Amino acid sequence: MRMPIFVENIDRNKPAMTKPNSLFPDLFGDVQHSPVETSSQVDASDDAIQQKIEDLRESLHQHNYNYYVLNAPTLSDQEFDAQLAELAKLEKAHPEYNDPNSPTQRVGSDISNSFETVKHRYPMLSLGNTYNEGEVRAFFERAAKDLNEEFEICAELKYDGTSISLTYEHGKLVRAVTRGDGTQGDDVTNNVKTIPTIPLQLPANAVYPDVFEMRGEILMPWDTFNRLNEERERQEEALLANPRNAAAGALKLQQSSEVAKRGLDAYLYYILGEDIHEDGHYESLNRAHTWGFKVSDHMRLCKNIDEVMEYIHYWDEGRKSLPVATDGIVLKINSRRQQRALGNTAKNPRWAIAFKFQAEKACTRLNNVAYQVGRTGAITPVAELDPVQLSGTTVKRASLHNDDIIQQLDLYIGDMVYVEKGGEIIPKITGVDKDQRLLVGDKVHFIKDCPDCGTTLVRDEGEAAHYCPNSNGCPTQLRGRVEHFISRKAMNVDGLGPETVDLFFDQGLIRNCADLYTITREQILKLDKKKDKSADNIIKGIEASKEVPFERVLFGLGIRFVGETVAKRLAHAFKDMDALQAASLDALVHVDDIGERIAESVMTYFADEQNKELISRLREYGLQMKLSEEVLANQSEKLSGMSIVISGVFEKHSRDEYKNMIVQHGGKSVGSISKKTSFILAGANMGPSKLEKAQKLGVKILDEMQFLDLIQ
Ligand code: IVH
């Protein structure tokens, strides 16, 4: 297994050394079997150094290809790392031989990327979609009629990632651009260079066009995706929804050194240019494979519709064991001449179609329905299932959301149920196979009492969720609220995590977040395995939280429906806790974005005697109960009533700082552009689709300086 020193988190489980792959001889000259000499043997003359640098680069490009594309490494990890370190050292000492496509560039950099908008040389069309085999037959028949001659179809997997256009000039990768709106996209070259399966430099002895474009899909393999999510779960961070979003998100990261850690992969499926020799699409991709591109092994040339259908049926099942996500099959008329003859519509080529698979479904047994109590008392029913494989992961639990859904499904314990993954990471139950309902158990009825404290549950009118109303006595709610209070976006108490909070509860040291401020170092030391240093850290973290701004204290209280943004709005509207506590329903609903539901929840919270006492204790311990002088001095109503969209990369302040400024000056920061948008605060490289929309709707665009002038 190679863990390159520069790419963390990649574990391809490859043998450290295997024999060279005889099918693909040395692409990069004859460096493969002649080890590159080490530094002690370097001649100091400039020519010799330059030669040495070039040899190392060639060797590393070749081995990168052997390892990542062919899965057949020919160097041990140690040798690879030694050569890479050697090259990095020489490049540092000789910047005059700099090459932006050197293998050392795969490590990425810490410099913030700015993604320039670039126009595509050839528009990036999308494919016409169908879920229907009849339409696939119709596509085939239409092509037969229009072409009126023999033709072949190249059947391919439809990879479910994010598409990319790679431009090569004289064998070097010069540009990588996202699809964007199809006409122009973002230049993400620095980030793409970190993906090990994308060649930076094509081999010297290969014959390829001077200029050409490769298109393909950037993917996050299931293994990497699952590992990143496990890590996130441990860190209590939001989970990545699916590998497609994860790959697209990674490509837009600000630092390419971070992208290098995301374990991205790529499949290339389309070559464009003036001088492509092969008429066949299939043949041209196989040729590109010999230049070092990763092309799918699963393409197949089909001569008739039966072969096409066979391919579709095979992969509908076969895709479940692939290392990456796929969502369908792409069928392309193979001959480029015939492709040109068929041409394109405004949006799609007439020579290709995508057949999409039905969302992956699994059928498994429902063993039990458990009920989870959230920190606000909301009860979530969770189906416990016989473990089943679904789109690359083992599923044991699925959300049932609420009582209405349970009623609709008409569930019995022991039922065989269908599980699907939508866009979200948590799978859901979409149906019951009633034909298999033979010896089932009880009908599932939503519980009446809280599973933790036994209090009778309530369901407010118009609400889908059941709640446990015992907010100051229900143990799970109490713990959940303290865990929320100390979490990163609220008080961010360093050194303290949910396990320690559990220990505090178990030992009877705390019952609410105010109790945290009475804990002593000695009490912590007496707890299970707590060392001096961690006790000091916890005390320090708790002390430091007294400086956390008022709006985050408010968010940390965990009032139902008061998330981060609402807390910010309330803090800015009322300025301190006293005013907020005294606010009437009317005053509350007058604040932007605060509807009756939130206002009532706030009123209920502050009417509770125990909550009042909690707040007065927090005040006594020194927590921030009003907006800081600095924030107050900078407040105004200059943006009152305005909806502002932020887009692009900024120099003077971060995006979050701009968001805060908008709220401080009475405005609202919103995500998408509409007729109601007052203006767009645009940094460099505003996204092309946003720009187009803004122009279409005639929405004003202000740059950083104009915005700062406006609020001055
Ligand atoms: S060919 C003009 N081949 O599906 C045809 N696309 O809407 C260009 N995709 O944006 C696309 N696997 O991101 C092609 N084997 C494959 C593909 C594929 C995935 C994606 C691609 C494109 C979308 C089609």
Side-chain angles (χ1 to χ4, degrees):
M1 173 178 82
R2 170 178 295 162
M3 285 291 263
I5 42 173
F6 59 99
V7 184
E8 294 171 37
N9 287 336
I10 292 183
D11 171 2
R12 306 281 307 260
N13 281 322
K14 296 289 160 354
M17 239 206 300
T18 59
K19 60 182 182 332
N21 187 309
S22 54
L23 270 179
F24 294 92
D26 308 353
L27 292 176
F28 291 82
D30 62 354
V31 290
Q32 190 170 357
H33 313 301
S34 51
V36 179
E37 293 160 352
T38 56
S39 61
S40 54
Q41 296 156 309
V42 172
D43 187 319
S45 85
D46 272 4
D47 280 357
I49 287 167
Q50 190 178 5
Q51 187 58 49
K52 172 82 184 169
I53 288 178
E54 278 168 16
D55 287 351
L56 280 165
R57 283 179 184 157
E58 267 188 24
S59 169
L60 287 161
H61 280 308
Q62 169 78 50
H63 289 295
N64 191 77
Y65 171 77
N66 291 346
Y67 184 84
Y68 287 103
V69 181
L70 300 183
N71 290 341
T74 47
L75 265 193
S76 73
D77 294 355
Q78 231 179 352
E79 279 173 279
F80 184 94
D81 292 345
Q83 285 191 15
L84 191 72
E86 171 80 11
L87 175 60
K89 201 167 131 197
L90 285 173
E91 286 179 346
K92 196 164 172 212
H94 296 278
E96 66 275 24
Y97 302 129
N98 171 47
D99 173 6
N101 288 47
S102 165
T104 51
Q105 298 303 303
R106 296 213 186 264
V107 48
S109 106
D110 295 338
I111 298 170
S112 247
N113 273 313
S114 59
F115 303 116
E116 234 175 275
T117 303
V118 180
K119 200 164 171 350
H120 293 298
R121 184 149 173 223
Y122 311 98
M124 284 182 87
L125 301 179
S126 59
L127 296 172
N129 272 339
T130 178
Y131 287 87
N132 179 323
E133 290 186 10
E135 286 184 20
V136 172
R137 285 177 196 276
F139 166 77
F140 192 90
E141 279 154 23
R142 209 168 36 244
K145 184 165 157 269
D146 291 349
L147 291 171
N148 198 20
E149 62 177 347
E150 297 272 299
F151 65 96
E152 286 180 316
I153 287 210
C154 181
E156 302 171 13
L157 291 168
K158 185 169 186 305
Y159 290 102
D160 194 13
T162 184
S163 46
I164 194 79
S165 145
L166 308 171
T167 301
Y168 286 80
E169 287 177 11
H170 309 291
K172 280 186 190 300
L173 171 69
V174 292
R175 210 171 308 111
V177 184
T178 62
R179 180 170 185 279
D181 61 3
T183 307
Q184 48 185 10
D186 287 332
D187 183 332
V188 288
T189 313
N190 290 336
N191 285 352
V192 164
K193 279 186 182 170
T194 67
I195 302 174
T197 39
I198 290 185
L200 304 182
Q201 165 78 60
L202 306 186
N205 57 1
V207 183
Y208 42 77
D210 275 353
V211 179
F212 67 96
E213 193 178 322
M214 282 303 275
R215 293 208 180 145
E217 203 81 352
I218 293 189
L219 300 150
M220 182 178 281
W222 284 116
D223 268 4
T224 317
F225 171 76
N226 290 333
R227 202 176 50 238
L228 283 182
N229 262 350
E230 278 160 23
E231 216 167 283
R232 282 174 174 242
E233 206 163 357
R234 274 198 300 278
Q235 310 282 348
E236 293 190 18
E237 289 175 26
L239 299 188
L240 302 163
N242 53 48
R244 179 184 352 104
N245 288 4
L251 262 200
K252 291 291 191 71
L253 286 173
Q254 290 286 317
Q255 292 177 345
S256 52
S257 52
E258 283 302 308
V259 186
K261 296 176 189 164
R262 298 289 168 104
L264 298 178
D265 197 352
Y267 279 98
L268 286 313
Y269 47 63
Y270 192 30
I271 179 168
L272 290 111
E274 312 293 319
D275 309 308
I276 316 292
H277 291 305
E278 293 76 13
D279 177 58
H281 160 80
Y282 176 85
E283 290 76 9
S284 64
L285 284 184
N286 280 335
R287 180 77 183 277
H289 181 50
T290 69
W291 307 334
F293 290 101
K294 184 161 175 174
V295 171
S296 172
D297 287 337
H298 307 307
M299 295 187 297
R300 176 169 162 202
L301 274 184
C302 301
K303 292 204 168 25
N304 53 50
I305 187 72
D306 292 342
E307 288 182 11
V308 170
M309 289 302 168
E310 200 181 296
Y311 185 89
I312 289 182
H313 296 150
Y314 177 82
W315 283 110
D316 198 359
E317 192 54 37
R319 73 193 186 110
K320 293 179 187 159
S321 41
L322 290 172
V324 292
T326 54
D327 61 344
I329 298 291
V330 180
L331 303 171
K332 301 173 182 166
I333 306 287
N334 193 47
S335 152
R336 285 169 192 281
R337 179 182 57 77
Q338 292 177 338
Q339 290 180 2
R340 279 191 298 273
L342 292 171
N344 306 320
T345 68
K347 275 207 236 140
N348 312 126
R350 284 200 189 85
W351 47 266
I353 191 169
F355 173 81
K356 300 260 279 210
F357 296 127
Q358 295 295 334
E360 227 182 286
K361 237 187 218 177
C363 194
T364 187
R365 190 172 305 281
L366 171 72
N367 293 320
N368 187 29
V369 176
Y371 295 84
Q372 286 177 350
V373 187
R375 68 178 162 81
T376 61
I379 310 287
T380 311
V382 178
E384 294 178 348
L385 308 164
D386 272 353
V388 64
Q389 277 301 114
L390 185 62
S391 320
T393 47
T394 309
V395 173
K396 288 184 256 179
R397 289 148 63 81
S399 173
L400 280 164
H401 299 287
N402 56 49
D403 193 22
D404 293 344
I405 300 221
I406 293 179
Q407 300 290 337
Q408 273 162 29
L409 289 167
D410 177 30
L411 275 184
Y412 284 77
I413 299 297
D415 264 342
M416 293 302 285
V417 293
Y418 293 108
V419 205
E420 259 180 50
K421 268 190 194 167
E424 292 80 44
I425 183 81
I426 299 168
K428 55 180 187 242
I429 298 208
T430 54
V432 182
D433 185 353
K434 292 195 177 155
D435 293 343
Q436 293 197 57
R437 184 181 279 169
L438 297 170
L439 276 173
V440 285
D442 294 340
K443 185 168 165 63
V444 179
H445 289 291
F446 206 93
I447 46 168
K448 300 251 177 303
D449 303 325
C450 174
D452 263 336
C453 65
T455 307
T456 306
L457 300 179
V458 293
R459 181 177 177 179
D460 294 337
E461 224 185 285
E463 290 277 331
H466 282 75
Y467 284 94
C468 164
N470 182 18
S471 54
N472 288 316
C474 179
T476 314
Q477 288 188 60
L478 293 177
R479 282 174 199 230
R481 275 212 298 282
V482 175
E483 282 166 14
H484 168 75
F485 183 79
I486 61 164
S487 67
R488 201 162 46 90
K489 291 191 165 169
M491 305 303 281
N492 193 18
V493 181
D494 255 359
L496 198 54
E499 298 83 9
T500 314
V501 167
D502 269 356
L503 278 178
F504 289 169
F505 267 98
D506 293 344
Q507 299 297 315
L509 293 180
I510 61 171
R511 267 181 66 79
N512 58 38
C513 50
D515 295 338
L516 286 173
Y517 296 88
T518 64
I519 286 187
T520 64
R521 188 173 180 277
E522 288 62 42
Q523 284 173 321
I524 302 174
L525 282 173
K526 275 199 212 129
L527 295 174
D528 206 23
K529 290 190 246 152
K530 284 281 172 235
K531 305 254 160 36
D532 282 10
K533 201 162 157 244
S534 70
D536 287 342
N537 279 344
I538 294 172
I539 295 288
K540 242 197 259 165
I542 293 176
E543 198 51 34
S545 73
K546 294 179 181 171
E547 299 308 318
V548 166
F550 170 51
E551 57 201 46
R552 277 170 50 196
V553 176
L554 190 56
F555 170 58
L557 292 177
I559 305 171
R560 192 185 297 168
F561 309 133
V562 178
E564 249 186 304
T565 317
V566 170
K568 223 178 253 178
R569 288 227 179 285
L570 291 172
H572 284 270
F574 294 96
K575 302 190 176 40
D576 63 41
M577 190 64 95
D578 288 337
L580 179 62
Q581 276 181 291
S584 65
L585 192 78
D586 204 36
L588 285 166
V589 292
H590 263 88
V591 179
D592 245 354
D593 279 348
I594 312 288
E596 235 166 72
R597 192 171 78 133
I598 301 177
E600 270 168 14
S601 166
V602 172
M603 299 283 289
T604 311
Y605 183 89
F606 288 122
D608 184 298
E609 284 307 320
Q610 294 195 46
N611 292 339
K612 283 188 200 162
E613 193 201 320
L614 182 88
I615 290 165
S616 86
R617 282 181 65 204
L618 291 175
R619 187 194 301 270
E620 199 181 299
Y621 298 136
L623 274 73
Q624 300 300 312
M625 291 292 158
K626 56 176 197 271
L627 288 181
S628 71
E629 295 300 326
E630 196 193 334
V631 172
L632 279 172
N634 282 323
Q635 254 194 339
S636 83
E637 290 301 312
K638 288 187 179 143
L639 305 178
S640 168
M642 296 193 193
S643 294
I644 299 156
V645 172
I646 304 182
S647 176
V649 187
F650 298 94
E651 274 177 19
K652 303 258 174 238
H653 298 277
S654 71
R655 244 165 198 275
D656 275 347
E657 283 168 352
Y658 279 120
K659 264 192 196 162
N660 284 339
M661 282 182 218
I662 290 174
V663 176
Q664 264 178 45
H665 293 277
K668 197 157 110 181
S669 122
V670 295
S672 58
I673 303 173
S674 71
K675 275 190 292 198
K676 290 192 198 140
T677 308
S678 312
F679 64 84
I680 297 167
L681 166 56
N685 312 317
M686 174 176 168
S689 52
K690 281 205 171 130
L691 188 63
E692 195 189 317
K693 198 157 179 198
Q695 283 164 347
K696 212 160 99 194
L697 296 173
V699 176
K700 255 195 306 186
I701 299 179
L702 301 192
D703 66 19
E704 264 177 294
M705 294 315 292
Q706 289 169 311
F707 175 79
L708 292 170
D709 277 352
L710 180 72
I711 58 170
Q712 265 316 295

